[in-house]
Amino acid sequence: MLKTISPALKGTAPKLKITGIDCHVLLAPDYDASFTSSAQDSLVVVVHTDGGVSGVGECDANPWMAKACIEAPGTHTMGLSIKDMLIGANPFDIGGLWNRIYLGTAMNGRRGMVIHALSAVEMALWDLCGKAVGQPVHALLGGATRDRITPYASLQPAGGRFEDYRDALCQSAEKAKSLGFRAMKTEITMNGPYAHNGMRESYDRHTEVLAAVRKTIGYDVTLMVDVQYLWDDAETCLSVIKDWGEFQPYFLETPLWSDNVREMAKLVERAPMKIAFGEWLATRFEFEELMDVGKVQVAQPDVGRVGGIGEAKIVCDMAKERGRTIVPHCWKTGISISGTAHLAFVTNHCAFIEYLPPQLCHERLRRELAQEELIFEKDGTIPLPTRPGLGVEVDWDIVKRYTVA
């Protein structure tokens, strides 16, 4: 059996059984399919028990597909139903259930969408267990090892012209700094497969944007750069970023395709900044390849994709063994942001978490669906949450309003 993580309890767990699982496909009415933003939709999963305690989770994947992965009936021992495997089970056996589902769906899953869907279920179980024993999730993960974490703001571009794109990022950077952020990440994607608004600007223009953002915020703020799989190979990437060291980027995120791990290793060897990857990856096995073959210095597990909070913790432990840094990816609502924060509080080598307060985000679901307990303070940090479970309050009227399946 695979190594897994279950809640660390001081006493005996309450005797509860899982009685039901609800899957809500949410879609913002103003969504734009041309956006490169998965925060416009969500799969919200609620796990219920016979004791009246429920937990909530979400995943970052196509919500219709994820819903089908959870609810689809099983037809043989290698393709069982996630939902059926959970009904009647002990919710505190999170690790055992993860193994059971991983093995029971292996022919259809092992990676990709089934694991992403499992992430939402697993997250809901941690929330449920925390509520059942009156403990925050970080306590169930073994206990917080620090009392504050540092978030970074993801800057938002706009427009379809170079000047509009550059200026929007600089304005977003100014606003983030005025709110107290000590770290931020700028998207610079005006070319490549996920170019903003189909833009096709030269690579020199990408350097101009980075220079403008750095000039805007100064050098007392940590700056990260996300180029969203812009280049095909290490040599082309290096020809552009070789001089980016003068702007002191903390890392360069997803410069190459996620499967191109051997090119990653070439890039890591010569790049003037750390290289970060992992937002799309599922399970510890993909991260093992990322770190051992790709040699990536910053691993970015997403609790709503990698397989859940427990699987993300295993990835964090693997990174620690290898001397790597963790900066989790998270581009969903307060549900996933809360799960990410609890993970960070038990992971000292987690340098930052991705955090987008309502003042900085465009996506309706991010603003309206859930209110996390997390408090962004004036010194640019988030103190330890204390509420049971994930500590997130879901607006069920919003769930009802935006549910489409």
Side-chain angles (χ1 to χ4, degrees):
M1 297 291 281
L2 300 175
K3 173 190 175 184
T4 57
I5 294 177
S6 291
L9 302 176
K10 295 180 179 178
T12 303
K15 291 185 177 181
L16 297 174
K17 288 185 179 180
I18 297 172
T19 56
I21 301 156
D22 297 329
C23 296
H24 303 275
V25 173
L26 307 185
L27 182 66
D30 57 352
Y31 85 98
D32 187 335
S34 69
F35 284 3
T36 308
S37 175
S38 61
Q40 302 180 102
D41 60 40
S42 185
L43 179 75
V44 173
V45 172
V46 185
V47 177
H48 302 286
T49 64
D50 58 356
V53 184
S54 300
V56 63
E58 73 175 342
C59 66
D60 195 352
N62 180 291
W64 288 270
M65 293 182 183
K67 184 176 189 287
C69 288
I70 294 169
E71 296 181 342
T75 58
H76 55 82
T77 59
M78 299 176 190
L80 299 175
S81 165
I82 292 178
K83 186 172 184 177
D84 289 348
M85 281 187 277
L86 289 166
I87 299 300
N90 172 12
F92 284 89
D93 185 23
I94 295 178
L97 287 171
W98 197 97
N99 250 329
R100 183 180 178 190
I101 293 169
Y102 183 78
L103 295 173
T105 63
M107 187 171 151
N108 303 316
R110 294 178 47 254
R111 308 288 188 274
M113 184 57 69
V114 173
I115 299 299
H116 300 335
L118 173 56
S119 300
V121 172
E122 198 261 14
M123 192 187 305
L125 290 173
W126 283 100
D127 184 45
L128 188 162
C129 291
K131 290 173 180 174
V133 298
Q135 293 288 317
V137 167
H138 59 73
L140 302 188
L141 288 169
T145 55
R146 50 184 169 165
D147 59 8
R148 289 182 178 272
I149 56 175
T150 303
Y152 73 81
S154 289
L155 307 182
Q156 300 290 284
R161 297 171 56 252
F162 168 74
E163 293 81 6
D164 295 337
Y165 184 96
R166 177 199 62 205
D167 294 348
L169 283 170
C170 290
Q171 290 167 12
S172 184
E174 283 184 322
K175 188 169 186 179
K177 188 171 181 179
S178 71
L179 289 171
F181 278 95
R182 303 191 322 208
M184 53 191 72
K185 183 175 76 181
T186 183
E187 172 195 303
I188 308 181
T189 313
M190 299 177 292
N191 211 315
Y194 303 111
H196 179 80
N197 277 350
M199 297 173 72
R200 286 294 178 263
E201 295 288 347
S202 69
Y203 295 148
D204 287 344
R205 281 282 171 99
H206 289 69
T207 303
E208 288 181 46
V209 170
L210 176 56
V213 173
R214 176 52 89 186
K215 182 178 180 180
T216 298
I217 63 174
Y219 282 84
D220 59 338
V221 175
T222 299
L223 181 62
M224 307 159 220
V225 182
D226 183 358
V227 293
Q228 295 180 326
Y229 312 96
L230 180 56
W231 293 289
D232 292 329
D233 59 85
E235 284 300 322
T236 306
C237 174
L238 287 164
S239 72
V240 180
I241 69 165
K242 64 182 186 301
D243 298 322
W244 282 15
E246 68 177 282
F247 306 114
Q248 298 180 18
Y250 180 77
F251 67 53
L252 178 65
E253 180 175 329
T254 57
L256 308 174
W257 195 245
S258 279
D259 301 316
N260 207 354
V261 289
R262 286 172 177 78
E263 286 296 304
M264 286 181 205
K266 297 177 185 177
L267 182 59
V268 166
E269 187 176 347
R270 296 167 55 192
M273 75 289 287
K274 296 175 183 177
I275 303 300
F277 271 94
E279 62 178 10
W280 286 351
L281 302 192
T283 75
R284 70 201 73 176
F285 306 111
E286 291 193 338
F287 275 93
E288 182 177 36
E289 182 183 42
L290 183 76
M291 291 186 280
D292 291 352
V293 180
K295 306 298 182 183
V296 167
Q297 299 108 319
V298 181
Q300 298 181 287
D302 188 310
V303 295
R305 290 180 182 162
V306 71
I309 295 172
E311 190 70 3
K313 178 66 168 62
I314 291 170
V315 169
C316 291
D317 293 344
M318 291 168 57
K320 184 176 182 180
E321 292 169 359
R322 292 161 172 77
R324 312 298 167 84
T325 301
I326 292 288
V327 180
H329 176 270
C330 185
W331 193 248
K332 296 302 277 188
T333 76
I335 300 171
S336 294
I337 291 171
S338 297
T340 303
H342 284 271
L343 177 72
F345 275 107
V346 301
T347 307
N348 285 351
H349 55 295
C350 175
F352 304 96
I353 68 165
E354 189 165 16
Y355 178 66
L356 213 58
Q359 304 97 305
L360 290 177
C361 67
H362 300 311
E363 287 81 359
R364 182 185 296 264
L365 285 178
R366 174 69 191 93
R367 296 195 308 268
E368 299 180 8
L369 178 63
Q371 179 63 51
E372 65 270 8
E373 180 189 358
L374 308 177
I375 300 170
F376 179 65
E377 298 198 332
K378 292 181 180 180
D379 66 351
T381 65
I382 295 173
L384 188 69
T386 59
R387 293 178 190 167
L390 293 174
V392 66
E393 294 292 335
V394 174
D395 188 329
W396 295 106
D397 288 335
I398 293 295
V399 171
K400 183 177 180 180
R401 186 183 307 171
Y402 296 151
T403 291
V404 294

